[in-house]
Amino acid sequence: MGIGRSVFSQDELDLYQELTNLNAAEINNAYKKFKNIDPLSGFQSNKKGRIAFTAVADNVAELKLNPFRYRICMLFCSEPNGLMDFDDFLDMVSVFHDKCPKERKVRWAFRLYDFNDDHVIDYDDLSTFLDLVTDYGIESDLKSEVIQRVIEEVDYDGDQSISHEEFERILYFNAEFYEYILTRLIFECCE
Amino acid sequence: MDRHRESSHEQRQRQKMSRTGLSRAGMSESEFMARQRYLENSSTRAISDHSMAVASQPVIPQLLSSNEVHKYVKEQREIINNFRSQPWPMQMKMAALMMYKENVAVYAGQMNTLDTFKDNFSIATGAFRRRFRNIRSSLTIWNSIIKRIEGRFGSSVASFFNFLRWLCALNLIMSFIILAFLVLPQASSGHGLQVPAQIRENGSPLSFIVDGKGYLLEYSVLFHGFYDSGKNEPYVAPPHNPNPAIGTGYKLPLAYLGVIAAIFVVCILAILVRMVKKYKILQKASISEQYLFAWKVFASWDFTITSHETAVYKRLRLTTLLKETIVEADSNDRQTSWKLIVIRLAVHVVLFILLCASAYAIYLAVENIDYSTVSVNFVDALKLGLKGIWLIMRSFQVQAVIVTCNFVFPIMFQVAQLIEQHHPRTALKVMLARLFVLYITSLYVLIIALFTFNRTCENTTTVLTNATFIDSDENYCCWETVMGQELYKLSITHFFAELFSIAVVDIARWIAVKTYICPRISEKFGLAEFNLARNILKLVYGQALVWFGVLFCPLLPIINLLKYILLFYIRALVVSLFNKPPQTLFRVASTKTFYMALLLLNIFLCIFPISYAVIQEVPSTTCGPFRGLPSMSHAVTYEIDRWPVIIQTVVNYVNTPTIIIPLIGLLCIVISYFASLANALKEVNKDLRLQLHLELKAARDKIYRDAIKLKKQDTESEDLSSFSLIRRHEQLQQELNSELTQRFSKTSNTMFSYVRPFEQVQINDSFASGSSSSDSSRIRSDNYTDISTLPRIQASTDIENDELPVTVSTFLPPKNKETLKHHQSAEKERSQQDSEGSVNPQRRHYSAPTPQITVGFVNSIHGRPRSRSTPLWTSNQK
């Protein structure tokens, strides 16, 4: 944990601290975590090395059991080839950090649940959501019933989908949602 | 940029930079308008902070008075601070940071000395704060344990451990205050209450540690009675003081009161601070009632789970939970039958009677404390056989009664819940309220009974000796120490009761389930669930004991600290071995505030008996730091008497009703003012919410209307249902936005130029045409050559779309020479305009949005496909 034997120079650490919500010890821990994901990857020798996002999703303890792990990691992949480098990983950890502003997190949560990238959470997204959460164990009748009720509650403009405003409203103005959704995933390297 | 160069060419550079800035600002005026409009309309409001960052970049260089420079630098630093939460990839953030920092460095050099000092100071404090946070986070313990539990049991159980950790920290602070200002001076003074010779000869040194008896414990810093005035002489008021030396030096009686007051102040402040912090995120908890299903669905996955077993369990549980919710929602307006109401009423009455009975039992137990066993030696007691054990049990009678009540009543409450059939949420609330009443009642009854005993103690000092092996000092009776002993015993017994309940409830049940003694029952009930409400209230109760007892047993916080540390480890172990994850979704956020509210209520309830003891009760004459005083508070009064006459008169005047009554009145007025203010704000909040709702709705409606109008005009057979129109509109807006960004960032902002090195030339060209041989841009590009070698993604110019660059890269427009030309000519125009100095660009982009933008939308709605090569923004120029 000591800052002394860090792989990063003080300048690099300062830079990372200025650009993420993590502090020095957390950055070092995150680095260790990222390094241990795939011992055979090029990352060992090269700090700019990249690891496939599926490997990250499957090997990080905090993500391993999360039904949305691939989606989460994909969101933070900065290259279209699906490889993550340490910077991307740090971005991800930073967003899930406690210090990340709320509206940011809500925005990320919206993007996370917008599985088909059409800027609204609609029936398909909610269906995917429920399938993933229950590991495809939910009956389709129940699913459609629940989705209908959810949309009924949240959607007030009648377009049968949850826009970002609507999503923000239920999340931002409601601590309980905020507490559960997305935001509580705090990586072990962080406080 | 070099400082000395800057000083010599300052004027020239300023001109150049302002020109660059102006030309850039002028260049992008139309884009700004469009962007502003886009931002106002679009749903992506969260991105506006970034666009501000970009917008302020080219505009500000005009403002160059020293005040404004400082303001500008401050602004820029703020922007830099906000980089960390921007949704861009790290490399982009890095580049932006460097660019902004360099820019700031240029302007920081232009500030005057005072501003520079202010600036440096703010930087230094920022760095210090960061370092401090690093140290603090490295000092936080038990993180990994809590995380592990959170991974298996979810946030609700983890909140218990967080609370426990916080209480440990609080107790640590209290212990520190007491050790430093009370125990250390007393111990170093070398004297204290002496053990009477008879007891030293006949009594036992440590009878049975947990009961606080035995002369080694009883006559130690553990209890109130041991402390003295610091001089081993009664503390006498200065006017009657035969020995003036007593009043000098460290005044222990004053310190004693001061420490108690400090503890309460620190605790209340700590609770309030934490409560406010939690309340900030709480905001409106009640709103989740209206989002019953959304809450159940979106909160269905606890992101903290890292245990496979729990994940599977959670999945299986979710479907049943959803089914239950549907049934519950459909039968929401079910009337409760009168039968049930009668039953509930009966249950309430029965429980109330039982509670009263338990209170009376506690009172009786205190009344009949057998003080003849003041120093039963454990070994001696064993030698006496049954009688000795009976004596030991007698010495714990009060604690036994209280602990039994606290153990039995929750079980009865649970049985009562089965009969009452409340809604689970109501049931939880009722349970919490009942437990709280139970704990507080038992504490208050104990305290009142002990105060009553105080008088009895004075009367019965002579009736003490009965036992064969005790020859008690008949003159000795120290009610403060006795109270301290009772609370000390209770605190420790409470801990053992906790262990006992763990053994019975959790471990025994685990054994029963695992060994299949009764397979049917074990399948139905399974392992014990972690009872959050009860465990939290137990912690609050333990803390209340400390606040009650700290006056009489100053080391109680330390004991409690040790107790809680042990409890933490034991609980953590038991939870992870013998419990199963909770079945219900807890509302964690509101629960956290609720814990704090309970603590606050508790500490206020504790203040009353303490202040009663300090102000009203007569201290014992033979022990304690206040011996010889009419009351403990007289230590302060006598101290004031030694102060100068003026202060005395002021203090005396303040003490009179003439001041106090108006003061209370004033306080009442202030409180009522704030209460009404809070009410008014609540109303305003509600109104604003409604307004927001209506405005959003109106905006949507307008789009509908437009869409319908267009549909009437439209002749083509395109699918123009209102929904697809809105989608289309949004899509077009996005395209528009990305194109604008493209243009904007290319021309006005070199910060992302490194991304596409081959375009560097173009950008510089466009600048060169606007402002001849732009120094600043050249220097910048020089500085960025090394960065430009970094391999990076192509579409990172899409900075404010908040999208994944990967997905947006398809929006890249082809490089069109015509548009570039257009661009350049437009830029020239702008720069000419600006050189006349009449237009303030900063103001300009807050002006009304240009209506032409909608032309693009309307056109495309009409079905005319808009080619990508003619960007929308050019429609502005026509």
Side-chain angles (χ1 to χ4, degrees):
Chain A
M1 275 213 185
I3 302 164
R5 51 194 170 82
S6 154
V7 284
F8 301 107
S9 67
Q10 191 58 46
D11 286 349
E12 276 176 313
L13 275 182
D14 280 346
L15 193 62
Y16 276 138
Q17 281 183 66
E18 252 177 304
L19 291 174
T20 62
N21 296 310
L22 280 71
N23 63 33
E26 289 168 349
I27 289 168
N28 280 325
N29 289 349
Y31 180 77
K32 262 180 227 153
K33 209 174 195 63
F34 191 67
K35 213 170 103 176
N36 290 334
I37 287 171
D38 187 4
L40 298 175
S41 72
F43 187 71
Q44 292 296 318
S45 51
N46 178 13
K47 262 189 262 174
K48 294 281 165 206
R50 287 175 173 270
I51 300 177
F53 77 86
T54 47
V56 176
D58 286 335
N59 289 314
V60 176
E62 289 84 358
L63 290 171
K64 222 179 344 191
L65 292 164
N66 197 312
F68 316 112
R69 56 187 178 280
Y70 297 122
R71 176 78 187 154
I72 293 172
C73 288
M74 219 165 71
L75 283 179
F76 289 94
C77 246
S78 64
E79 276 197 1
N81 58 10
L83 295 176
M84 279 180 105
D85 63 359
F86 179 60
D87 289 349
D88 295 342
F89 186 71
L90 218 52
D91 280 336
M92 180 164 81
V93 177
S94 173
V95 165
F96 286 110
H97 198 277
D98 251 0
K99 273 186 253 156
C100 184
K102 206 162 157 184
E103 64 270 13
R104 271 295 150 210
K105 288 197 172 187
V106 172
R107 184 112 189 98
W108 279 106
F110 183 76
R111 254 168 77 175
L112 171 62
Y113 295 144
D114 180 17
F115 290 98
N116 51 13
D117 285 322
D118 59 356
H119 307 289
V120 285
I121 295 179
D122 51 14
Y123 189 94
D124 295 341
D125 292 324
L126 284 171
S127 165
T128 319
F129 179 95
L130 283 173
D131 281 342
L132 286 176
V133 168
T134 58
D135 201 14
Y136 298 93
I138 190 168
E139 303 94 331
S140 57
D141 290 351
L142 179 65
K143 192 166 74 178
S144 54
E145 167 92 29
V146 167
I147 293 173
Q148 233 164 34
R149 282 176 190 251
V150 169
I151 289 179
E152 226 170 77
E153 276 172 7
V154 180
D155 178 45
Y156 66 92
D157 57 12
D159 63 351
Q160 295 302 308
S161 59
I162 305 170
S163 69
H164 182 254
E165 295 149 352
E166 288 154 359
F167 190 71
E168 205 174 46
R169 182 167 302 113
I170 60 166
L171 249 78
Y172 195 82
F173 294 115
N174 194 325
E176 300 300 343
F177 284 89
Y178 182 68
E179 192 74 24
Y180 266 101
I181 304 170
L182 181 68
T183 59
R184 290 292 302 154
L185 173 66
I186 294 165
F187 286 85
E188 205 174 297
C189 48
C190 307
E191 239 173 84
Chain B
M1 211 168 287
D2 293 335
R3 289 279 164 95
H4 56 274
R5 237 184 96 193
E6 181 194 307
S7 56
S8 60
H9 298 290
E10 203 183 320
Q11 196 60 32
R12 222 183 105 212
Q13 276 180 5
R14 273 187 191 179
Q15 273 178 2
K16 270 172 200 166
M17 290 180 77
S18 61
R19 259 163 87 188
T20 327
L22 271 179
S23 58
R24 278 193 251 156
M27 222 6 235
S28 53
E29 186 212 351
S30 57
E31 285 125 328
F32 266 134
M33 286 179 177
R35 278 160 61 89
Q36 212 63 31
R37 192 184 145 73
Y38 172 77
L39 289 175
E40 277 159 15
N41 288 340
S42 71
S43 58
T44 52
R45 269 177 294 125
I47 63 173
S48 55
D49 51 356
H50 167 256
S51 66
M52 255 172 59
V54 171
S56 58
Q57 174 67 11
V59 172
I60 297 296
Q62 255 201 332
L63 319 163
L64 282 173
S65 80
S66 65
N67 236 348
E68 280 162 343
V69 168
H70 185 221
K71 210 173 141 199
Y72 173 63
V73 168
K74 244 176 153 179
E75 263 176 43
Q76 295 290 304
R77 291 221 192 279
E78 191 70 15
I79 290 168
I80 289 174
N81 265 337
N82 283 334
F83 272 143
R84 67 167 56 93
S85 51
Q86 293 299 345
W88 321 324
M90 185 72 75
Q91 294 287 329
M92 189 186 287
K93 279 196 262 184
M94 247 177 224
L97 182 80
M98 281 181 181
M99 147 115 186
Y100 268 77
K101 268 192 166 170
E102 194 180 319
N103 190 23
V104 164
V106 169
Y107 284 92
Q110 294 174 13
M111 288 191 301
N112 60 34
T113 328
L114 183 65
D115 287 343
T116 315
F117 175 73
K118 272 189 206 160
D119 194 46
N120 288 340
F121 183 73
S122 72
I123 292 172
T125 47
F128 175 75
R129 208 173 298 146
R130 197 162 54 192
R131 203 159 302 157
F132 176 73
R133 240 184 271 134
N134 281 355
I135 291 169
R136 201 183 57 183
S137 76
S138 66
L139 286 179
T140 322
I141 50 167
W142 297 341
N143 261 335
S144 58
I145 297 178
I146 292 179
K147 202 112 296 184
R148 217 176 304 142
I149 290 165
E150 195 168 33
R152 248 190 90 189
F153 296 92
S155 318
S156 57
V157 178
S159 74
F160 166 82
F161 286 94
N162 271 321
F163 184 59
L164 183 50
R165 180 171 64 175
W166 184 78
L167 281 182
C168 282
L170 196 67
N171 279 309
L172 188 69
I173 296 168
M174 285 162 71
S175 310
F176 176 75
I177 295 174
I178 285 171
L179 281 178
F181 298 106
L182 205 54
V183 175
L184 207 65
Q186 176 64 42
S188 62
S189 75
H191 37 74
L193 191 65
Q194 297 301 312
V195 186
Q198 287 163 316
I199 289 183
R200 188 180 280 280
E201 282 161 23
N202 301 321
S204 56
L206 288 168
S207 72
F208 184 47
I209 296 169
V210 289
D211 69 354
K213 301 272 172 70
Y215 60 78
L216 271 187
L217 277 184
E218 200 171 333
Y219 297 91
S220 72
V221 286
L222 188 58
F223 295 113
H224 182 101
F226 179 76
Y227 294 85
D228 55 17
S229 57
K231 306 284 178 293
N232 202 16
E233 275 177 58
Y235 188 76
V236 182
H240 328 286
N241 192 350
N243 181 5
I246 280 177
T248 57
Y250 193 81
K251 290 160 194 147
L252 208 89
L254 273 180
Y256 204 104
L257 285 184
V259 160
I260 301 295
I263 282 175
F264 274 92
V265 168
V266 164
C267 287
I268 288 175
L269 279 182
I271 294 170
L272 281 180
V273 164
R274 195 170 157 93
M275 206 170 162
V276 167
K277 219 161 103 190
K278 294 285 170 202
Y279 192 76
K280 250 189 229 162
I281 61 163
L282 183 65
Q283 291 179 356
K284 294 266 166 186
S286 56
I287 215 168
S288 58
E289 306 288 318
Q290 92 187 60
Y291 295 123
L292 191 63
F293 277 90
W295 147 249
K296 286 269 157 70
V297 168
F298 282 123
S300 60
W301 190 259
D302 193 333
F303 271 65
T304 49
I305 287 174
T306 53
S307 142
H308 185 71
E309 180 196 344
T310 316
V312 171
Y313 180 77
K314 197 108 191 169
R315 275 187 194 132
L316 294 177
R317 174 87 191 131
L318 180 62
T319 32
T320 41
L321 195 77
L322 287 173
K323 274 178 200 160
E324 277 169 17
T325 317
I326 288 176
V327 172
E328 189 188 303
D330 288 342
S331 59
N332 220 1
D333 47 351
R334 188 185 54 187
Q335 289 287 320
T336 43
S337 64
W338 63 270
K339 226 178 184 176
L340 203 59
I341 292 172
V342 169
I343 288 174
R344 280 177 193 173
L345 213 65
V347 167
H348 277 300
V349 170
V350 168
L351 284 179
F352 181 73
I353 291 168
L354 283 174
L355 203 65
C356 289
S358 81
Y360 186 66
I362 294 168
Y363 189 83
L364 222 58
V366 177
E367 203 181 11
N368 291 324
I369 292 177
D370 184 1
Y371 292 98
S372 63
T373 57
V374 159
S375 57
V376 179
N377 189 330
F378 187 53
V379 183
D380 288 346
L382 282 184
K383 273 180 203 156
L384 281 172
L386 273 179
K387 201 195 168 200
I389 293 168
W390 172 244
L391 279 173
I392 290 173
M393 282 169 69
R394 275 302 293 277
S395 72
F396 277 94
Q397 60 184 11
V398 179
Q399 288 71 30
V401 170
I402 292 174
V403 162
T404 314
C405 284
N406 290 355
F407 186 73
V408 172
F409 269 82
I411 296 171
M412 288 203 302
F413 292 159
Q414 262 169 354
V415 174
Q417 259 180 9
L418 291 179
I419 304 169
E420 284 176 319
Q421 294 171 0
H422 278 299
H423 182 280
R425 211 176 306 134
T426 330
L428 185 71
K429 277 179 197 160
V430 170
M431 183 78 172
L432 279 172
R434 277 175 181 163
L435 284 172
F436 188 71
V437 168
L438 169 73
Y439 287 150
I440 279 298
T441 317
S442 68
L443 254 184
Y444 253 77
V445 170
L446 172 72
I447 286 291
I448 290 168
L450 282 174
F451 277 132
T452 322
F453 155 74
N454 175 20
R455 276 167 226 128
T456 333
C457 174
E458 279 159 7
N459 299 336
T460 54
T461 37
T462 47
V463 209
L464 269 174
T465 50
N466 272 339
T468 47
F469 51 90
I470 288 174
D471 191 13
S472 186
D473 184 355
E474 289 185 19
N475 293 323
Y476 172 67
C477 176
C478 185
W479 65 269
E480 290 99 338
T481 298
V482 171
M483 268 188 130
Q485 277 171 342
E486 290 303 319
L487 288 163
Y488 167 84
K489 271 195 278 184
L490 185 55
S491 182
I492 287 179
T493 323
H494 178 245
F495 178 62
F496 282 110
E498 178 76 22
L499 293 188
F500 177 73
S501 95
I502 286 172
V504 168
V505 176
D506 300 294
I507 300 177
R509 197 159 158 186
W510 181 79
I511 292 168
V513 169
K514 289 290 166 182
T515 52
Y516 291 101
I517 291 172
C518 185
R520 238 217 233 130
I521 289 176
S522 42
E523 261 169 45
K524 199 177 175 198
F525 293 105
L527 294 175
E529 213 178 287
F530 183 77
N531 193 330
L532 189 65
R534 224 172 115 187
N535 280 304
I536 287 289
L537 274 171
K538 274 182 194 166
L539 288 187
V540 172
Y541 178 70
Q543 197 54 46
L545 277 181
V546 172
W547 287 323
F548 265 125
V550 72
L551 180 66
F552 308 110
C553 175
L555 291 192
L556 214 48
I558 299 171
I559 292 158
N560 205 46
L561 176 66
L562 296 177
K563 209 174 95 179
Y564 277 180
I565 290 172
L566 264 178
L567 189 67
F568 186 94
Y569 284 112
I570 294 170
R571 258 293 163 205
L573 195 72
V574 166
V575 157
S576 42
L577 286 180
F578 305 117
N579 283 16
K580 68 177 176 191
Q583 299 204 332
T584 40
L585 269 177
F586 268 97
R587 290 156 194 275
V588 179
S590 46
T591 331
K592 277 180 186 164
T593 338
F594 184 71
Y595 305 159
M596 289 297 133
L598 277 184
L599 266 188
L600 201 63
L601 188 60
N602 244 322
I603 199 167
F604 279 125
L605 286 174
C606 290
I607 283 175
F608 293 117
I610 293 282
S611 53
Y612 172 77
V614 168
I615 293 166
Q616 291 287 325
E617 290 287 317
V618 185
S620 301
T621 47
T622 51
C623 66
F626 305 102
R627 66 191 87 161
L629 293 178
S631 80
M632 294 186 193
S633 58
H634 271 77
V636 181
T637 321
Y638 288 163
E639 182 60 27
I640 289 170
D641 285 347
R642 287 160 46 86
W643 290 355
V645 185
I646 303 167
I647 301 176
Q648 270 184 44
T649 41
V650 169
V651 169
N652 286 338
Y653 186 63
V654 166
N655 255 333
T656 52
T658 23
I659 294 291
I660 287 177
I661 290 173
L663 210 66
I664 292 173
L666 190 71
L667 268 180
C668 287
I669 290 168
V670 169
I671 289 170
S672 64
Y673 168 73
F674 277 111
S676 59
L677 194 70
N679 268 336
L681 284 177
K682 221 180 259 174
E683 287 290 311
V684 170
N685 201 356
K686 218 166 102 189
D687 284 355
L688 282 176
R689 221 172 263 268
L690 189 69
Q691 199 182 337
L692 185 73
H693 179 90
L694 290 176
E695 269 175 18
L696 286 172
K697 208 161 184 176
R700 289 269 167 177
D701 285 350
K702 192 170 169 294
I703 297 170
Y704 273 105
R705 257 184 276 121
D706 287 351
I708 289 162
K709 220 188 276 172
L710 288 167
K711 194 180 176 185
K712 277 177 191 164
Q713 294 166 5
D714 196 56
T715 47
E716 289 181 29
S717 60
E718 206 178 332
D719 174 28
L720 281 179
S721 70
S722 51
F723 298 138
S724 68
L725 265 177
I726 292 164
R727 294 266 167 79
R728 189 77 184 277
H729 180 222
E730 281 169 0
Q731 203 181 342
L732 284 172
Q733 271 190 339
Q734 251 161 32
E735 278 184 41
L736 165 82
N737 183 54
S738 68
E739 284 192 22
L740 291 179
T741 318
Q742 193 70 21
R743 283 281 131 220
F744 175 69
S745 57
K746 248 197 219 170
T747 53
S748 69
N749 215 333
T750 50
M751 90 195 216
F752 302 108
S753 57
Y754 72 95
V755 172
R756 289 182 300 278
F758 52 90
E759 280 183 12
Q760 187 82 40
V761 187
Q762 279 186 7
I763 293 156
N764 282 344
D765 277 353
S766 74
F767 272 127
S769 64
S771 56
S772 54
S773 76
S774 156
D775 241 354
S776 58
S777 81
R778 202 187 66 216
I779 284 161
R780 267 181 207 160
S781 60
D782 283 346
N783 276 349
Y784 277 86
T785 39
D786 51 342
I787 301 169
S788 65
T789 55
L790 285 173
R792 206 51 205 170
I793 44 165
Q794 276 136 34
S796 42
T797 40
D798 187 57
I799 37 175
E800 83 287 302
N801 201 9
D802 203 343
E803 280 299 328
L804 245 199
V806 184
T807 52
V808 192
S809 59
T810 48
F811 290 116
L812 272 175
K815 282 147 215 110
N816 193 329
K817 271 195 176 173
E818 219 178 271
T819 43
L820 198 68
K821 238 186 227 167
H822 202 105
H823 218 99
Q824 286 166 3
S825 60
E827 192 188 7
K828 264 182 194 164
E829 267 177 41
R830 298 282 169 225
S831 57
Q832 274 167 16
Q833 253 185 39
D834 286 333
S835 60
E836 288 162 25
S838 58
V839 194
N840 184 1
Q842 201 184 12
R843 204 172 195 176
R844 204 187 290 148
H845 66 89
Y846 286 116
S847 57
T850 42
Q852 281 94 332
I853 291 299
T854 44
V855 173
F857 167 56
V858 172
N859 282 350
S860 53
I861 288 296
H862 277 293
R864 248 180 283 152
R866 188 177 45 79
S867 79
R868 286 263 165 83
S869 55
T870 52
L872 271 172
W873 66 272
T874 48
S875 61
N876 258 352
Q877 311 289 333
K878 287 168 190 169

